[in-house]
Amino acid sequence: MFLEQIQKYNPDLLSIALQFHQSGKIPPSCFIVDLDTVAENTQTLVNAAHENGLSLYFITKQVGFNPVFAKEVCKNGIEKAVAVDWNEALGLLSNEIPLGHLGHLVQIPTCMIAKMLHASPEVITIFSVEKARQLSQVAKEEGLQANILLRVVDEEDFTYSGQTGGIPLTALQSNLDTLSALPNIKIAGVTAFPCTVFDPSKNQYVPTQNLMTIHKAAEIVAKRYAGEKLQINAPGNSCVQTFPLISRYGATHAEPGNALTGTTPLHAILRQPEKPALIHVTEISHEYKNIYYCYGGGLYRRSTVTRALVGSNATALREARVISPDKTSIDYYVGLKLNDQEKAQVGDSVLWSSRAQLFVTRSSVAIIKGIQQGKPELAGIFNPFGLKIDF
C-alpha cells in the first residue's frame, strides 16, 4: 500500500530493513520503524496543529504500544498519549508515558477504574450515564476528580462495526441534568469517531456526520456550562491534511496515530508532509505449485497488501503479487506470485508496507534510529504489546 512511497521518499528505510533481516539482526514478520522520520513527522504535526489552533494526543496501538516510539514522540512535542483500551493504558503506564485520553475507543472496565483514575489522565470518555456513575463513585471513594468527554452519536452517524455506542444527541440535554448531579466528575467536552474519512473518488478527506454531531453537541454543552473551555475532540485520520478541516468545525483536539509513520490512506497515493517511516519485512519459507509462501503474522483485515519486493540484494529485488489468506483464516503464511520466469530462494527477504495495527497481530516491531544520518542502529525489538524481546 505504501511501498511505492517508501521507494520514492525513504529508500534508506527499505535498504536498511533488507540489510538488517539478511544479516540476522531482526526476525521475519517484523515491522521496522524509522525513528528519525517519526521524530520529523511529530514536529511537522505539532507545527500544523499550532497553526490550526489544535492540541494533540498521540496513539501507539499501530506500533504495538511501543515505548521507544512513544518517548520519541513525547520528546518532539506531543506530550501525552491516547490509550484506546486498557491494555494500551497498562503498557503506557508501565513505561511512564503520560496519559492524555482514556476510554475511547474502549471504555474502562469496572475493575480498572481506580487504577486508571490514579494515572491522572486529562480526560476520560464515557459512552453512557451508567459508566459515568461508576467513575463518579470510584472517584469519590478515592478522593479524585475525573474530567469526562461525552461520546455523542446521532442517527445518521457512521460507526465502524465493533465500535458502536455513545449518548444519543437527542438525549444529551436530559443526560446533562443527570451527569451534573454526580460528584467528583466534570464534563470536559465531547468526542466521536471517526470525524473524517478518506473519499477515494476525490483523493481527499471529508467530514463525517459524526463531526457535525459533536459540533451540535458542543453547542448544547456550552449553553449549560457557559464560560467553561470545552474540549472538542475530533479523531479519525488525524494528520496535517485534516487539521484545517476539523478546526473549521470547532475541534480543539486531534489524535494522530498512523500519521506519525506516514501511513494514512492519503499517504498511499499522494505525497504528504508526513514521510513514510514504517515497513514490514518477512521471509520466504517454501514454494508450492509455483507460489512462494512467506511467514505471516503481520496482516489484519484492513491491511490491503497487494504488492511486495522479494530478494536478498537491494539491487536485485523482484516484485511479487501478494496472495493474502481469506478473511476466515489465520495468516500463518502469505502467498507470493512472481513473474513466470523469476525465482526466489528460501530465506529471501519479503518487504511490504501497509496500514499497521500491531496490537491485533503476532508481529514484532524493530525500532531503528540513525537511518537518516547514515548510522543505523537497532534500538530494540518488541512484541505487539510493547515488551522488549531477546533475539
Side-chain angles (χ1 to χ4, degrees):
M1 189 174 181
F2 303 98
L3 198 53
E4 183 178 349
Q5 306 301 317
I6 290 174
Q7 289 175 293
K8 288 180 180 178
Y9 308 124
N10 196 353
D12 289 342
L13 172 59
L14 190 153
S15 61
I16 293 301
L18 176 66
Q19 176 188 320
F20 274 46
H21 175 251
Q22 284 295 310
S23 63
K25 293 180 180 178
I26 55 176
S29 189
C30 182
F31 285 85
I32 292 88
V33 174
D34 174 356
L35 199 63
D36 298 353
T37 301
V38 168
E40 183 180 345
N41 288 343
T42 303
Q43 294 168 13
T44 297
L45 287 159
V46 169
N47 291 337
H50 179 74
E51 290 172 3
N52 288 279
L54 295 169
S55 298
L56 302 178
Y57 303 128
F58 68 93
I59 303 174
T60 67
K61 64 184 175 70
Q62 71 281 359
V63 290
F65 317 152
N66 190 269
V68 178
F69 173 94
K71 289 174 183 177
E72 191 69 17
V73 173
C74 287
K75 186 171 74 174
N76 283 279
I78 309 178
E79 297 178 351
K80 295 187 178 183
V82 181
V84 298
D85 67 10
W86 64 90
N87 286 313
E88 186 168 14
L90 293 172
L92 292 167
L93 288 173
S94 70
N95 288 291
E96 300 181 340
I97 306 300
L99 297 179
H101 185 189
L102 299 182
H104 199 208
L105 296 163
V106 180
Q107 297 281 271
I108 301 174
T110 305
C111 64
M112 293 187 180
I113 290 176
K115 182 177 182 66
M116 295 304 156
L117 285 174
H118 280 282
S120 302
E122 280 191 8
V123 290
I124 298 172
T125 287
I126 57 108
F127 284 38
S128 66
V129 171
E130 289 79 5
K131 182 59 71 175
R133 285 197 181 101
Q134 287 187 341
L135 281 170
S136 171
Q137 179 181 340
V138 176
K140 184 178 180 181
E141 292 169 354
E142 300 292 323
L144 299 169
Q145 181 81 12
N147 297 318
I148 63 172
L149 298 182
L150 309 179
R151 172 162 160 147
V152 184
V153 294
D154 204 5
E155 290 296 328
E156 301 302 318
D157 285 2
F158 169 71
T159 304
Y160 290 109
S161 178
Q163 300 179 17
T164 304
I167 296 172
L169 181 65
T170 54
L172 179 58
Q173 186 65 62
S174 61
N175 280 330
L176 288 177
D177 294 337
T178 304
L179 293 167
S180 297
L182 297 176
N184 295 76
I185 65 170
K186 176 183 177 182
I187 297 174
V190 294
T191 190
F193 183 83
C195 290
T196 71
V197 293
F198 181 65
D199 185 341
S201 69
K202 299 178 180 178
N203 282 346
Q204 66 183 36
Y205 290 107
V206 296
T208 61
Q209 184 61 40
N210 311 29
L211 186 56
M212 322 295 180
T213 294
I214 60 169
H215 180 73
K216 296 174 185 175
E219 291 179 338
I220 294 170
V221 176
K223 289 178 181 177
R224 180 66 179 261
Y225 299 97
E228 296 286 340
K229 187 176 181 180
L230 297 177
Q231 179 175 144
I232 304 173
N233 189 305
N237 299 299
S238 297
C239 64
V240 170
Q241 282 295 322
T242 59
F243 289 170
L245 173 61
I246 63 172
S247 182
R248 287 198 296 272
Y249 286 87
T252 64
H253 286 66
E255 299 182 343
N258 280 295
L260 293 163
T261 52
T263 52
T264 83
L266 185 60
H267 289 78
I269 57 172
L270 294 173
R271 187 173 189 178
Q272 294 297 298
E274 307 94 339
K275 299 175 183 177
L278 183 74
I279 196 168
H280 179 272
V281 64
T282 188
E283 177 181 312
I284 297 288
S285 165
H286 59 279
E287 178 267 341
Y288 182 71
K289 293 185 177 181
N290 297 317
I291 302 293
Y292 291 93
Y293 290 89
C294 62
Y295 298 106
L299 299 182
Y300 79 112
R301 291 181 182 181
R302 295 170 65 193
S303 295
T304 60
V305 178
T306 59
R307 173 175 171 260
L309 296 175
V310 180
S312 59
N313 188 311
T315 61
L317 294 172
R318 283 90 70 199
E319 186 170 323
R321 178 170 60 89
V322 174
I323 307 170
S324 298
D326 65 52
K327 302 299 183 184
T328 63
S329 300
I330 298 170
D331 63 330
Y332 292 108
Y333 297 103
V334 177
L336 300 164
K337 179 63 176 175
L338 293 170
N339 293 332
D340 290 341
Q341 304 304 315
E342 294 181 326
K343 301 293 181 182
Q345 302 295 320
V346 170
D348 276 355
S349 300
V350 179
L351 299 122
W352 68 60
S353 187
S354 66
R355 282 175 67 86
Q357 295 292 353
L358 261 81
F359 79 123
V360 294
T361 73
R362 308 186 312 282
S363 285
S364 55
V365 56
I367 308 294
I368 301 179
K369 60 183 180 180
I371 291 177
Q372 302 305 317
Q373 284 74 46
K375 299 178 180 179
E377 179 185 346
L378 186 63
I381 301 174
F382 300 80
N383 73 10
F385 291 97
L387 298 176
K388 197 168 186 178
I389 58 178
D390 295 324
F391 176 73

